[in-house]
Amino acid sequence: MTRAEQIAANLAEVRARIAAAARAAGRPPESVRLLAVSKKMPADDVRAAIVAGQRAFGENYAQELRDKSALLAEGPALPTPPEWHFIGPLQANKVKYVAGKVALLHSLGSPALLDAIEARGAPQACLVQVNVAGEASKSGLAPADLPALLDRFAALKHARCEGLMLIPPRGDARPHFAALRALRDKEAAITRPNVDLRELSMGMTEDLEVAVAEGATIVRVGTAIFGPRPT
Ligand SMILES: Cc1ncc(COP(=O)(O)O)c(C=O)c1O
């Protein structure tokens, strides 16, 4: 099997897992989008996934995203252009590589970052990354700070909020997924300009079924599609 064939087979398997989990949860399979996490994987892997019908790709590093998207745009024509998402921690000095350039930024975790994104002056859909478990080592906003960050969108012209994102701690992720959904449901009951909390970005290779059962609308899957990442 070639590398491209392997990626296509892996993608088919992941799509089948998502569909089965959605059906088990009484949800239509199309209510869950697959984000292929291509972090540390070469542009040729992304190309193979696109040829196999994958549309959305998640990157964690601003410069890697810039370089990989340029390589793909310059290379042979693709059946469909990739839709890039940014899912990694973002420093203010790297915002220029990302804001206005990705379909969705999953990792908005502070008012300062929101201001830096808005200052680029280009439309940008964002998800707020919430540190539901309050882990000191993880980025993301404390749940108590979420209402104020959502309120902040009202005064903005370019950035808008489309939902919440979570990276759970190691161990049983289910209570964290459930907590993110509960937080979303609570905040979604409040109408705010430029805020529509329709997306829940949660679930990875190991726990996508649990995330779908708890209401994920986007699952971010790397290893099950591309194999182990180089270190
Ligand atoms: C934010 C984020 N989501 C999802 C993934 C994909 O994880 P996995 O390879 O376990 O599917 C990664 C991988 O590093 C990640 O950083």
Side-chain angles (χ1 to χ4, degrees), residues 33-120:
R33 276 196 286 163
L34 172 60
L35 183 66
V37 175
S38 46
K39 153 190 181 180
K40 295 192 177 174
M41 294 300 172
D44 279 348
D45 281 7
V46 175
R47 175 176 295 280
I50 294 171
V51 169
Q54 178 60 23
R55 181 83 208 283
F57 295 87
E59 288 285 338
N60 292 54
Y61 305 107
Q63 276 128 319
E64 187 180 336
L65 166 68
R66 179 197 60 184
D67 296 347
K68 211 177 287 180
S69 58
L71 265 177
L72 283 160
E74 287 158 10
L78 295 162
T80 50
E83 177 189 292
W84 295 105
H85 292 219
F86 193 78
I87 61 174
L90 185 58
Q91 294 154 315
N93 64 341
K94 304 279 173 62
V95 167
K96 59 178 180 283
Y97 300 127
V98 175
K101 300 196 160 91
V102 292
L104 190 58
L105 188 149
H106 293 228
S107 46
L108 172 62
S110 72
L113 183 58
L114 180 55
D115 291 349
I117 291 165
E118 176 71 13
R120 298 298 300 168

Side-chain angles (χ1 to χ4, degrees), residues 9-231:
N10 292 348
L11 268 170
E13 204 169 298
V14 171
R15 288 196 198 109
R17 282 177 63 188
I18 293 170
R23 278 193 295 271
R27 302 177 53 195
E30 12 1 304
S31 66
V32 186
R33 276 196 286 163
L34 172 60
L35 183 66
V37 175
S38 46
K39 153 190 181 180
K40 295 192 177 174
M41 294 300 172
D44 279 348
D45 281 7
V46 175
R47 175 176 295 280
I50 294 171
V51 169
Q54 178 60 23
R55 181 83 208 283
F57 295 87
E59 288 285 338
N60 292 54
Y61 305 107
Q63 276 128 319
E64 187 180 336
L65 166 68
R66 179 197 60 184
D67 296 347
K68 211 177 287 180
S69 58
L71 265 177
L72 283 160
E74 287 158 10
L78 295 162
T80 50
E83 177 189 292
W84 295 105
H85 292 219
F86 193 78
I87 61 174
L90 185 58
Q91 294 154 315
N93 64 341
K94 304 279 173 62
V95 167
K96 59 178 180 283
Y97 300 127
V98 175
K101 300 196 160 91
V102 292
L104 190 58
L105 188 149
H106 293 228
S107 46
L108 172 62
S110 72
L113 183 58
L114 180 55
D115 291 349
I117 291 165
E118 176 71 13
R120 298 298 300 168
Q124 184 60 64
C126 305
L127 305 181
V128 179
Q129 182 178 347
V130 186
N131 188 349
V132 171
E135 290 175 290
S137 63
K138 286 266 173 69
S139 46
L141 195 77
D145 296 333
L146 182 61
L149 188 66
L150 296 177
D151 289 344
R152 209 175 174 96
F153 278 90
L156 306 185
K157 289 194 173 61
H158 308 293
R160 61 186 190 284
C161 183
E162 298 193 343
L164 305 180
M165 181 271 216
L166 169 73
I167 304 177
R170 286 189 178 280
D172 182 15
R174 186 180 284 267
H176 304 286
F177 293 152
L180 192 74
R181 189 193 50 195
L183 203 55
R184 189 276 305 270
D185 292 349
K186 183 171 163 228
E187 294 303 329
I190 302 164
T191 304
R192 295 178 171 98
N194 303 321
V195 176
D196 173 6
L197 300 177
R198 61 180 181 271
E199 306 283 7
L200 283 178
S201 167
M202 56 190 198
M204 307 193 261
T205 290
E206 291 298 319
D207 53 20
L208 72 88
E209 283 86 356
V210 182
V212 169
E214 293 294 346
T217 61
I218 303 176
V219 290
R220 311 179 306 265
V221 179
T223 310
I225 298 170
F226 299 112
R229 277 176 291 278
T231 44

